[in-house]
């Protein structure tokens, strides 16, 4: 029998060093010189992600970010797009949970003109009603399409039952049909003025650039931006649902079930993050992890089954996800619970630990091969508050995780008594077998 080759020794890697500068109005500038190619990424970011939305107007952060491309005081949306195209780039703007961003990648020689148009888009966005209405209709169409598709519906329902429908984390980052419909032009203008300020923003320039020249261009393009204090943000209390739950969203005659099992969990900056990352890689984070080997390779229930943490600043979602035939839905849930229980009560094997750490350390440098990836990584680090040395220490910290630590975090952070089970499938076929698992009453979701 052939034997799988062992992993090699990880190659040395150092995350590119950055130079930081602050303008008089409070805007921070991070510069990462990388001379491999004559290209540069310019990325504007602001502490204006979905976490800053009001629940009633959830989705405003994303719409306000996307609306940056809808025109300025002196240019229409078409003229903005044409300007970026002439520079050889494309404006990409959106918002995730932590921050909003707008940026592009161009040849380094075009950096001065690119900085100028990006600054105009950020500071002079006009938010025209026609453009906003189009964005709203597109978002509502996307949401309707997502809820019609079992996988998207399962994702939305799972977040809702983990956090509760009134918590911002219980609503998709892009909003719901109700909240997006409530986002008026005035809502988006007010959000932009309050949240997109120099003191809440970070401008990142990575690539074949000269730091002093970037600082000069930043001063010229963003230096006159009005210095405004962002709103004071009170500490946020996340509403995590206590107690176990089983929910079925009925899809008549669906041949298979989308399954989500998990619960709300700790924030991204929790001290146990590294050990949780290794634990998850063993449980279900990679192809050869326990859950996939069980449900796919051993029992042939599915093409793939995985676990993950969806990290956010004030919490996260631990989730096992898969899709199986209707007649093995309850069996698949039983096996998922068995693997979670095994992870909590049995020490992992030394080979499992080694494979997980080798995988996580091995793929780490592959995430940062382009100027855009470096800029995104710095935005992620800064808006999550991970510290300047985070990427430099990442692989060393991973390599120190022990079997005992993996079991400790599994016992601490995998909480069977709080597991939520969401199944999107044919309720007539799956409800009775699910009830027989004795996990609690099976609740039908509309």
């Amino acid at each position: 029998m052939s034997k799988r080759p062992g992993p090699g020794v990880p190659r040395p890697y150092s995350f590119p060093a950055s130079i930081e500068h602050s303008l008089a109005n409070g805007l921070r500038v991070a510069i990462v010189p990388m001379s491999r190619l004559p290209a540069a990424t310019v990325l504007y970011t602001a502490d204006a992600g979905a976490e800053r939305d009001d629940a009633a107007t959830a989705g405003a952060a994303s719409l306000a970010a996307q609306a940056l491309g809808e025109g300025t005081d002196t240019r229409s949306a078409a003229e903005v797009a044409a300007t970026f195209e002439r520079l050889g780039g494309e404006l990409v703007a959106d918002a995730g949970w932590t921050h909003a961003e707008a940026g592009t990648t161009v040849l380094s020689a075009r950096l001065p003109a690119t900085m100028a148009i990006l600054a105009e888009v950020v500071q002079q966005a006009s938010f025209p009603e026609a453009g906003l209405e189009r964005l709203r209709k597109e978002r509502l169409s996307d949401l309707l399409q997502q809820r019609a598709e079992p996988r998207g519906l399962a994702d939305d329902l799972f977040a809702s039952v983990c956090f509760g429908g009134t918590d911002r984390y219980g609503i998709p980052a892009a909003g719901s049909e109700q909240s997006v419909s409530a986002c008026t032009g005035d809502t988006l203008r007010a959000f932009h003025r309050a949240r997109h300020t120099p003191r809440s923003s970070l401008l990142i320039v990575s690539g074949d650039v000269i730091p002093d020249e970037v600082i000069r261009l930043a001063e010229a393009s963003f230096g006159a931006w009005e210095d405004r204090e962002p709103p004071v943000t009170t500490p946020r209390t996340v509403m995590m649902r206590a107690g176990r739950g089983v929910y079925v969203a009925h899809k008549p005659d669906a041949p298979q079930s989308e399954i989500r099992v998990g619960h709300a969990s700790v924030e991204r900056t929790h001290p146990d993050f590294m050990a949780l990352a290794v634990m998850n890689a063993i449980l279900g984070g990679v192809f050869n992890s326990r859950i996939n080997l069980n449900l796919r390779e051993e029992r042939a229930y599915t093409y793939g089954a995985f676990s993950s943490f969806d990290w956010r600043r004030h919490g996260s979602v631990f989730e096992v996800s898969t899709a199986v035939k209707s007649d093995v839905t309850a069996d698949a849930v039983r096996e998922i619970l068995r693997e979670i229980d095994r992870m909590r009560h049995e020490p992992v094997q030394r080979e499992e630990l080694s494979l997980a750490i080798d995988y996580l350390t091995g793929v780490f440098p592959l995430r940062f091969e382009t100027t855009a990836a470096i800029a995104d990584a710095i935005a992620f680090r800064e808006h999550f508050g991970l510290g300047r040395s985070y990427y430099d220490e990442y692989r060393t910290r991973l390599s120190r995780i022990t079997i005992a630590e993996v079991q400790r975090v599994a016992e601490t952070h995998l909480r069977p008594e709080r597991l939520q089970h969401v199944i999107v499938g044919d309720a007539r076929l799956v409800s009775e077998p699910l009830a027989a698992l004795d996990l609690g009453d099976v609740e039908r979701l509309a």
Side-chain angles (χ1 to χ4, degrees):
M1 180 181 291
S2 61
K3 184 178 179 181
R4 182 172 56 189
V9 177
R11 295 182 179 180
Y13 175 79
S14 297
F15 188 78
S18 60
I19 299 164
E20 296 208 358
H21 176 81
S22 294
L23 305 189
N25 59 12
L27 176 67
R28 293 185 299 139
V29 184
I31 307 156
V32 188
M34 301 169 63
S35 57
R36 284 178 295 183
L37 294 172
T41 293
V42 186
L43 185 66
Y44 159 81
T45 72
D47 185 1
E51 290 179 347
R52 302 304 186 201
D53 280 338
D54 292 330
T57 53
S62 178
L63 286 171
Q66 292 188 339
L68 295 178
E70 291 300 315
T72 70
D73 293 343
T74 57
R75 302 178 206 249
S76 67
E79 290 170 331
V80 168
T83 302
F84 277 97
E85 288 175 2
R86 281 196 295 273
L87 293 168
E90 177 187 12
L91 177 65
V92 177
D94 205 347
W97 281 107
T98 58
H99 63 276
E101 63 181 38
T104 189
T105 298
V106 297
L107 291 173
S108 300
R110 294 169 179 171
L111 186 61
T114 303
M115 292 271 276
I117 182 62
L118 184 62
E120 180 180 327
V121 162
V122 170
Q123 299 170 59
Q124 301 175 32
S126 59
F127 294 96
E129 286 296 338
L132 300 182
E133 182 60 18
R134 180 179 54 76
L135 288 175
R136 258 193 307 270
K137 287 182 177 178
E138 289 177 354
R139 178 63 50 80
L140 290 171
S141 177
D142 290 343
L143 290 169
L144 287 172
Q145 187 174 354
Q146 183 168 342
R147 291 186 69 81
E149 194 269 320
R151 180 178 302 177
L153 178 60
D155 290 338
D156 288 353
L157 292 176
F158 187 69
S160 176
V161 301
C162 283
F163 291 106
T166 58
D167 190 281
R168 181 63 188 92
Y169 283 164
I171 306 170
S176 64
E177 290 95 328
Q178 184 178 11
S179 66
V180 169
S181 297
C183 290
T184 66
D186 288 342
T187 304
L188 303 186
R189 293 184 194 95
F191 184 91
H192 176 264
R193 178 164 179 78
R195 294 294 179 183
H196 289 254
T197 72
R199 293 191 181 277
S200 62
S201 300
L202 170 67
L203 180 68
I204 305 164
V205 181
S206 58
D208 188 13
V209 298
I210 300 171
D212 287 345
E213 176 68 3
V214 172
I215 293 172
R216 188 187 67 77
L217 292 172
E219 295 278 5
S221 301
F222 288 89
W225 192 8
E226 179 188 1
D227 181 4
R228 305 190 306 273
E229 289 288 345
V232 176
T233 302
T234 55
R236 189 165 180 274
T237 301
V238 176
M239 297 172 59
M240 297 184 183
R241 178 165 293 188
R244 210 160 49 184
V246 185
Y247 307 90
V248 174
H250 182 42
K251 283 284 184 183
D253 302 321
Q256 65 178 20
S257 301
E258 283 286 342
I259 298 175
R260 303 291 182 272
V261 177
H263 52 66
S265 189
V266 296
E267 68 278 5
R268 176 61 178 78
T269 52
H270 194 282
D272 287 340
F273 169 79
M274 288 292 179
L276 283 170
V278 175
M279 185 278 293
N280 182 63
I282 296 170
L283 176 64
V286 299
F287 187 86
N288 286 326
S289 58
R290 291 180 176 185
I291 288 177
N292 196 49
L293 290 179
N294 182 334
L295 270 66
R296 175 193 157 101
E297 301 297 310
E298 183 177 344
R299 303 180 191 281
Y301 286 165
T302 179
Y303 289 112
F306 299 95
S307 66
S308 63
F309 282 84
D310 181 7
W311 297 104
R312 301 165 193 178
R313 273 196 293 216
H314 306 287
S316 64
V317 178
F318 164 70
E319 172 187 288
V320 178
S321 62
T322 189
V324 302
K325 290 176 61 178
S326 299
D327 60 351
V328 297
T329 298
D331 295 325
V333 170
R334 182 189 299 111
E335 291 304 314
I336 290 169
L337 299 181
R338 190 172 75 84
E339 293 296 351
I340 291 174
D341 187 66
R342 186 159 74 102
M343 180 60 72
R344 295 183 73 245
H345 294 108
E346 296 179 10
V348 300
Q349 299 298 308
R350 187 165 300 281
E351 183 184 21
E352 290 181 299
L353 178 71
S354 176
L355 285 172
I357 291 176
D358 287 342
Y359 172 79
L360 293 172
T361 56
V363 301
F364 179 72
L366 304 179
R367 295 158 51 188
F368 310 121
E369 293 188 325
T370 66
T371 57
I374 292 291
D376 284 339
I378 290 178
F380 181 88
R381 182 187 72 188
E382 295 300 313
H383 286 287
F384 270 102
L386 300 179
R388 290 289 302 274
S389 62
Y390 173 74
Y391 293 119
D392 297 326
E393 299 172 351
Y394 180 86
R395 295 208 292 179
T396 300
R397 292 176 62 193
L398 269 181
S399 68
R400 293 173 178 163
I401 300 300
T402 65
I403 291 174
E405 282 181 285
V406 169
Q407 186 169 6
R408 178 185 64 78
V409 298
E411 290 176 350
T412 304
H413 298 291
L414 300 181
R415 306 284 297 275
E417 78 280 6
R418 291 176 47 198
L419 284 173
Q420 309 301 317
H421 311 72
V422 170
I423 288 84
V424 177
D426 191 330
R428 298 166 299 186
L429 301 177
V430 304
S431 293
E432 188 173 331
L434 285 169
L437 294 178
D438 198 24
L439 300 173
D441 293 339
V442 177
E443 183 176 336
R444 181 82 72 92
L445 296 175

